[in-house]
Amino acid sequence: MIPLIRKLRIKFVALSMSLVSVVLACIFFSVNFSVQRSIEAISRQVLYQVIQDDTVPYSGREDRPDIAIFRGEERVLLPYFTVNVWPENGVAYVTGGTYSNLEDTAVLRDILNECLRQEETEGTISSYGLRYLRQDNGMYEKIAFVDMSMEQAMLRRTLLSYLPIALGAFLLLLGASVVLSRWATAPVEKAWRQQRQFLSDASHELKTPLTVILSNAELLEEAGLEQRPARWADNIHSEARQMKSLVEQMLTLARADNMTAAPVFSQVSLSETAEDCVLAFEPVAFEAGKPLNYDIAPEVLVQGDADRLRQLISVLLDNAIKYGADGGTITLTLEKLDRQVRLTVSNPGDPIPPDKLPHLFERFYRADDSRGEKSGFGLGLAIAATIAAQHKGTLRAESDAVSTRFIFTMPLRK
């Protein structure tokens, strides 16, 4: 699959599932809130029911029967107890409920103290898992307590019953999103394939006439023409060479896109490859007035295609010489890391704005306002990035006031 189309499909699915997740989360929390409010309403029903029941004081021997609240067809039993409190003398005793052995206990005193410290008529005592309701009866205050553990158990059970439904809906929508992503990107994929095929075919077809033009221009130059016609022939030759270079670069990218002419991997000494490239570019750098220094670690072995790695390094050196500051020193370093090899080509010059760095590896992109009008088609770095990806490596750019650096990393040979 085309990497661009794959990324587009992944983005489509990710965006769709993000929206689905938000919707499902809203539904889930809405249901949770609704169920919680419903269960709390049941607890309050019990509180209001028992606080209105004025029976004889709780004796510790005769408990009141369980009070049932029906939620649909479900009969819900909530443990409770009631207490009468005389604030003036601090007397309190249990008047009824389903709890036993609470009278004159430290637990009851703690519960009452925490309840009386709160000013609200209704509230909760989290430390004991109780919900309370207070009623002022003049000389004394009646307080009803109900156990919240039943609430929490019902809430957990309800939510757990909804989780499989939510998960099933998520998986179903994920499958639908994947299918829709293929359908939505099918026209884009078709157009992309046609564009790549056209680029490949056009590049092939242009090579032959360009070769003829170059051959005829060379013959004209050797024919001893007068000065003006000779200049015209030289212009034809120069422009034809540039066109041939562009066609070759386009053909290289077309082959990479079409996965044809796959690189032939073997053991490669990246140290020797880098040295060969440096030696080849030293005269070019010297002629441009930009010294070329290098620091290459010995015996750096990788698994790759020697010709393509040489092309990558050549692109980086050519780019540094073209866009480096006049008189500035071009530096190439090759170092061996723990499991990787890192090759860095740097040149001094005006810094590239951070917002333009990610675009340097795009085809036909040139940061002209920061790097000046130089010769080239904006394909060299795109080719270098493609070669880096073919070798399971990365190529990135950094730029500051000191220098602009292109850093290539790839795995060491295992």
Side-chain angles (χ1 to χ4, degrees), residues 290-293 325 327-331 346-348:
K290 302 171 185 178
L292 177 56
N293 292 341
T329 301
I330 311 300
T331 304
S346 63
N347 62 271

Side-chain angles (χ1 to χ4, degrees), residues 26-46:
C26 291
I27 295 174
F28 186 81
F29 285 114
S30 298
V31 170
N32 178 46
F33 179 76
S34 176
V35 171
Q36 188 174 9
R37 292 295 297 272
S38 176
I39 295 175
E40 288 177 1
I42 294 173
S43 296
R44 284 195 292 271
Q45 288 179 37
V46 172

Side-chain angles (χ1 to χ4, degrees), residues 254-306:
R255 286 171 176 169
D257 286 340
N258 292 321
M259 297 298 191
T260 59
V264 179
F265 282 8
S266 61
Q267 179 177 299
V268 177
S269 173
L270 197 58
S271 301
E272 295 180 2
T273 303
E275 288 178 3
D276 292 343
C277 291
V278 167
L279 292 174
F281 274 89
E282 271 186 331
V284 181
F286 178 79
E287 186 177 348
K290 302 171 185 178
L292 177 56
N293 292 341
Y294 57 93
D295 182 10
I296 300 175
E299 298 181 359
V300 176
L301 301 179
V302 296
Q303 198 73 16
D305 186 312

Side-chain angles (χ1 to χ4, degrees), residues 148-191:
M148 293 193 303
S149 61
M150 296 293 292
E151 294 183 39
Q152 297 165 354
M154 289 178 61
L155 183 62
R156 285 195 299 268
R157 185 173 57 189
T158 303
L159 295 181
L160 288 175
S161 67
Y162 288 137
L163 281 177
I165 299 174
L167 180 60
F170 183 87
L171 294 176
L172 180 63
L173 291 171
L174 176 61
S177 179
V178 172
V179 173
L180 286 174
S181 71
R182 294 178 180 276
W183 173 78
T185 58
V188 180
E189 184 176 4
K190 181 180 179 181

Side-chain angles (χ1 to χ4, degrees), residues 7-176:
K7 291 180 181 179
L8 188 60
R9 288 180 180 175
I10 291 173
K11 287 182 179 179
F12 182 93
V13 173
L15 180 60
S16 301
M17 296 316 298
S18 297
L19 294 175
V20 167
S21 299
V22 170
V23 173
L24 289 177
C26 291
I27 295 174
F28 186 81
F29 285 114
S30 298
V31 170
N32 178 46
F33 179 76
S34 176
V35 171
Q36 188 174 9
R37 292 295 297 272
S38 176
I39 295 175
E40 288 177 1
I42 294 173
S43 296
R44 284 195 292 271
Q45 288 179 37
V46 172
L47 287 172
Y48 280 101
Q49 182 176 346
V50 300
I51 205 167
Q52 299 299 328
D53 188 6
D54 291 323
T55 58
V56 296
Y58 173 63
S59 65
R61 294 185 300 274
E62 296 179 356
D63 295 346
R64 295 179 183 177
D66 293 333
I67 294 181
I69 298 294
F70 288 90
R71 184 173 180 268
E73 297 181 354
E74 185 179 8
R75 188 169 183 267
V76 180
L77 300 176
L78 298 178
Y80 72 97
F81 67 94
T82 56
V83 180
N84 287 350
V85 180
W86 279 262
E88 293 183 358
N89 53 22
V91 175
Y93 57 85
V94 178
T95 59
T98 59
Y99 285 74
S100 61
N101 302 323
L102 276 177
E103 197 75 61
D104 297 327
T105 62
V107 171
L108 180 61
R109 287 193 294 272
D110 290 342
I111 293 173
L112 291 176
N113 288 335
E114 188 170 347
C115 176
L116 294 174
R117 280 197 299 269
Q118 302 183 32
E119 298 180 357
E120 292 82 1
T121 302
E122 295 184 43
T124 60
I125 302 175
S126 303
S127 56
Y128 287 94
L130 296 172
R131 188 182 301 280
Y132 71 84
L133 175 64
R134 297 166 63 174
Q135 184 183 69
D136 189 0
N137 291 331
M139 297 182 61
Y140 69 93
E141 187 174 14
K142 187 172 186 178
I143 309 175
F145 297 90
V146 65
D147 188 1
M148 293 193 303
S149 61
M150 296 293 292
E151 294 183 39
Q152 297 165 354
M154 289 178 61
L155 183 62
R156 285 195 299 268
R157 185 173 57 189
T158 303
L159 295 181
L160 288 175
S161 67
Y162 288 137
L163 281 177
I165 299 174
L167 180 60
F170 183 87
L171 294 176
L172 180 63
L173 291 171
L174 176 61

Side-chain angles (χ1 to χ4, degrees), residues 164-221:
I165 299 174
L167 180 60
F170 183 87
L171 294 176
L172 180 63
L173 291 171
L174 176 61
S177 179
V178 172
V179 173
L180 286 174
S181 71
R182 294 178 180 276
W183 173 78
T185 58
V188 180
E189 184 176 4
K190 181 180 179 181
W192 182 257
R193 291 186 185 279
Q194 290 175 342
Q195 176 184 332
R196 291 189 313 172
Q197 189 62 43
F198 169 77
L199 181 63
S200 178
D201 294 344
S203 299
H204 276 291
E205 293 300 323
L206 286 170
K207 286 186 72 176
T208 301
L210 281 172
T211 301
V212 174
I213 292 171
L214 280 169
S215 300
N216 283 274
E218 290 173 358
L219 291 174
L220 282 173
E221 288 178 341

